[in-house]
Amino acid sequence: LLSLEPISGRARVQVKNPYLDTMEEDILYHFSLGTKTHNLPEMFGDIKFVCVGGSSNRMKAFAQFIHQELEMPGNPEEVSDICEATDRYCMYKVGPVLSMSHGMGVPSISIMLHELIKLLHHAQCRDVVLFRLGTSGGVGLAPGTVVVTDKAVDYSFLAQFEQVVLGKVVTRSTELDEEVANELLQCSSELQNFPTVIGNTLCTHDFYEGQGRLDGALCSFSHEDKLEYLRKAYEAGVRNIEMESSVFAAMCRICGLKGTLINPWSFFL
Amino acid sequence: LLSLEPISGRARVQVKNPYLDTMEEDILYHFSLGTKTHNLPEMFGDIKFVCVGGSSNRMKAFAQFIHQELEMPGNPEEVSDICEATDRYCMYKVGPVLSMSHGMGVPSISIMLHELIKLLHHAQCRDVVLFRLGTSGGVGLAPGTVVVTDKAVDYSFLAQFEQVVLGKVVTRSTELDEEVANELLQCSSELQNFPTVIGNTLCTHDFYEGQGRLDGALCSFSHEDKLEYLRKAYEAGVRNIEMESSVFAAMCRICGLKGTLINPWSFFL
């Protein structure tokens, strides 16, 4: 069992905030957890894999699936939401695996990532790998194809994330860990029925106009304009479109977390 | 009762998408509703007020409160979630009032607004007023003060929202309906214990670095830098900070919906 493997000593999860260690208490507001009210090392110290996705129902189902796969004692149906005191996110822990929801869009997952990274830091976790398992729209692929993200790109197909810090725009890289992506591709090749590619993931800030959908409340472009944009995206290496990858990649990189996105083609564009 | 007032004939909720009326079926994916599977005019045609907020628990509690205030028949505890087939948003209808959650951040509320505006359009609703009732951080105000938003401003304190449409940045105005804001201010002056101001609302795309918090996983600025930014914001007319106002204001304006944000000072910055 993964949780019984020895801690290797390398790669403790890093925060990049000099104030944190001087604070008397750190409250993870949106998780309803805190360093004074909860023993975070005891609760979370053995975590090795964090799997996140938008939908709370799906992340509960994923926790139950992992419970069965790892042959954990007890009833998988009875996994309990560690964040049940709040409705912002849900969180399930199954052995060394944490399964969490993050809602939809960059701001929503950004709040979750700040508090998750602080949680892993306070819990003294080491060698954690972070995965986003979500829905996405495929670009030029057969339906059902799984895309493992190489890098997250913005609407101009650049591997960057623009973060506003106190009114100033800071540009951060969104290149992800190659090793993790390659390992996942290797795993998929050993399985039947999981056509998998490594590609760039376009991160948009809305579902309709940014992704070229013709069925939003607002639409000012033609079907041809849409196809032209998707063609350009494909030529730039984009294989799928979703709404969280850019800040996920940027924060993994800054905090020394290995991570990637594994998103099946699940939406028609 | 508001639902019994005659329909005035003006101001049907508008979509700005020439394709919509030619579609055989419109599926509101994130609500689990559709024009073929649901009779939207029958279900929603009498709606006059839509109240939205981030948290699903809070919007359920708000629906129960409205149920009591309007002295509706039946048990307020039994209001049922119209979107229960999905966990993306929750939706409660109490007479002419719709109470909905929108999650956190611009992308999340943007998806909800696209589908809400289409829903109101398909249901042939008229004279709808839209309110966001959410949490926010106050700027230079006493805790508890309610801020009614005049306009939503971006990190540079400009009343604009940048929407990416097929890879191009389109700038939209975020000025809100003055009449609604003034009526609300008038209402508040008739009540005890609701100190209320009209002011600009700063919309950020994250909770930590964008709002100057010193307790995120990442923090690259000092306490003085933070105070300096908040001082500049106050001078520019900002009275509170939250994460949804810009797209809310922009979409209300484009679709001819009267709306505003009524956010109490609920978070320390």
Side-chain angles (χ1 to χ4, degrees):
Chain A
L1 221 129
L2 291 160
S3 60
L4 301 178
E5 282 176 15
I7 288 170
S8 75
R10 66 183 172 100
R12 184 173 161 193
V13 176
Q14 300 165 45
V15 292
K16 290 289 167 75
N17 178 350
Y19 301 105
L20 268 194
D21 287 335
T22 69
M23 285 164 51
E24 203 183 326
E25 180 177 14
D26 185 19
I27 299 173
L28 310 174
Y29 307 105
H30 301 83
F31 295 176
S32 252
L33 296 173
T35 51
K36 270 196 166 173
T37 48
H38 298 81
N39 185 336
L40 301 179
E42 192 176 287
M43 290 172 74
F44 299 104
D46 62 342
I47 286 174
K48 295 295 168 199
F49 302 98
V50 180
C51 300
V52 303
S55 146
S56 51
N57 291 348
R58 206 184 316 120
M59 296 323 288
K60 181 177 185 181
F62 182 75
Q64 292 169 337
F65 169 75
I66 291 292
H67 193 287
Q68 290 174 312
E69 288 294 304
L70 297 185
E71 297 176 7
M72 300 290 289
N75 185 348
E77 295 301 312
E78 288 168 13
V79 296
S80 70
D81 180 3
I82 300 169
C83 297
E84 67 179 351
T86 168
D87 60 355
R88 299 301 190 174
Y89 304 107
C90 72
M91 177 194 282
Y92 301 92
K93 183 176 180 301
V94 181
V97 180
L98 197 71
S99 177
M100 280 204 72
S101 69
H102 56 61
M104 290 183 287
V106 161
S108 186
I109 195 175
S110 146
I111 297 175
M112 194 277 278
L113 288 170
H114 271 273
E115 299 185 13
L116 171 67
I117 290 167
K118 293 198 298 174
L119 182 151
L120 297 173
H121 173 76
H122 292 311
Q124 299 168 22
C125 296
R126 290 172 184 273
D127 300 327
V128 175
V129 188
L130 187 53
F131 301 99
R132 180 175 121 77
L133 317 164
T135 50
S136 71
V139 179
L141 298 174
T145 306
V146 174
V147 180
V148 176
T149 304
D150 177 32
K151 50 187 186 245
V153 299
D154 68 8
Y155 63 90
S156 305
F157 316 130
L158 299 174
Q160 61 181 32
F161 173 61
E162 293 192 343
Q163 169 71 49
V164 175
V165 180
L166 285 186
K168 295 194 185 81
V169 179
V170 177
T171 301
R172 293 175 176 164
S173 167
T174 54
E175 308 226 3
L176 284 154
D177 191 272
E178 272 185 40
E179 199 186 325
V180 174
N182 288 328
E183 268 184 70
L184 286 167
L185 192 68
Q186 182 59 35
C187 288
S188 77
S189 71
E190 291 160 16
L191 295 168
Q192 298 291 319
N193 305 323
F194 280 96
T196 302
V197 297
I198 291 181
N200 296 347
T201 295
L202 170 59
C203 183
T204 69
H205 297 300
D206 83 322
F207 186 76
Y208 289 97
E209 296 178 279
Q211 298 189 24
R213 283 193 169 77
L214 300 167
D215 61 350
L218 310 177
C219 181
S220 55
F221 44 84
S222 67
H223 188 61
E224 290 67 36
D225 294 338
K226 165 191 167 154
L227 292 182
E228 174 64 17
Y229 184 66
L230 294 180
R231 199 176 305 120
K232 280 189 198 159
Y234 188 85
E235 282 164 14
V238 170
R239 292 298 173 269
N240 66 340
I241 307 183
E242 48 77 272
M243 297 177 60
E244 292 86 14
S245 53
S246 60
V247 73
F248 178 99
M251 289 187 70
C252 278
R253 201 177 160 89
I254 293 175
C255 295
L257 268 166
K258 286 190 179 187
T260 194
L261 300 97
I262 314 168
N263 296 329
W265 193 122
S266 35
F267 259 112
F268 277 91
L269 287 170
Chain B
L1 220 130
L2 292 161
S3 59
L4 301 179
E5 282 174 16
I7 287 171
S8 75
R10 65 182 172 99
R12 182 172 164 198
V13 176
Q14 299 165 44
V15 291
K16 291 287 167 75
N17 179 351
Y19 301 105
L20 269 193
D21 287 335
T22 68
M23 285 164 49
E24 204 184 324
E25 179 177 15
D26 186 18
I27 299 173
L28 309 174
Y29 307 105
H30 300 83
F31 295 175
S32 252
L33 296 173
T35 52
K36 270 198 165 171
T37 47
H38 298 80
N39 185 335
L40 300 179
E42 191 177 288
M43 291 173 74
F44 299 105
D46 62 343
I47 287 175
K48 295 294 168 201
F49 303 98
V50 180
C51 300
V52 303
S55 145
S56 51
N57 290 348
R58 205 184 316 121
M59 297 323 289
K60 182 178 186 180
F62 182 76
Q64 292 169 337
F65 168 75
I66 291 293
H67 195 286
Q68 289 173 313
E69 288 294 304
L70 297 185
E71 297 175 9
M72 301 291 289
N75 185 349
E77 296 301 313
E78 288 169 12
V79 296
S80 71
D81 180 3
I82 300 170
C83 296
E84 67 179 349
T86 166
D87 60 355
R88 299 301 190 175
Y89 305 107
C90 71
M91 177 193 281
Y92 301 92
K93 183 175 180 301
V94 182
V97 180
L98 197 71
S99 177
M100 279 204 73
S101 69
H102 56 60
M104 291 184 287
V106 160
S108 185
I109 195 175
S110 147
I111 297 175
M112 194 278 277
L113 288 171
H114 271 273
E115 298 184 15
L116 171 67
I117 290 167
K118 293 198 297 175
L119 181 151
L120 298 172
H121 172 77
H122 292 310
Q124 299 168 23
C125 296
R126 289 171 187 274
D127 300 328
V128 175
V129 188
L130 186 54
F131 302 99
R132 179 176 122 77
L133 318 164
T135 49
S136 71
V139 179
L141 299 173
T145 306
V146 174
V147 180
V148 176
T149 303
D150 178 33
K151 49 185 187 249
V153 299
D154 69 7
Y155 63 90
S156 306
F157 315 131
L158 299 175
Q160 62 181 30
F161 172 62
E162 293 191 344
Q163 170 71 50
V164 175
V165 181
L166 284 187
K168 294 194 184 81
V169 178
V170 176
T171 302
R172 293 174 177 165
S173 167
T174 54
E175 307 227 3
L176 283 154
D177 191 273
E178 272 185 39
E179 198 186 325
V180 174
N182 288 328
E183 268 184 69
L184 286 168
L185 193 66
Q186 182 59 37
C187 289
S188 77
S189 71
E190 293 160 15
L191 296 168
Q192 299 291 318
N193 303 323
F194 279 97
T196 303
V197 297
I198 291 182
N200 296 347
T201 296
L202 169 59
C203 184
T204 69
H205 297 299
D206 83 323
F207 186 77
Y208 289 98
E209 295 178 279
Q211 298 190 23
R213 282 192 169 79
L214 300 167
D215 60 350
L218 310 178
C219 181
S220 55
F221 44 84
S222 68
H223 188 61
E224 291 67 38
D225 295 337
K226 164 191 169 156
L227 291 182
E228 174 65 17
Y229 184 66
L230 293 180
R231 199 177 304 122
K232 280 188 199 158
Y234 188 85
E235 282 164 15
V238 170
R239 292 297 173 269
N240 65 341
I241 307 181
E242 47 79 92
M243 296 177 60
E244 292 86 13
S245 53
S246 59
V247 74
F248 178 99
M251 289 188 70
C252 278
R253 201 177 162 87
I254 293 175
C255 295
L257 270 167
K258 287 191 178 187
T260 193
L261 300 97
I262 314 168
N263 296 329
W265 193 121
S266 36
F267 258 112
F268 278 91
L269 286 171

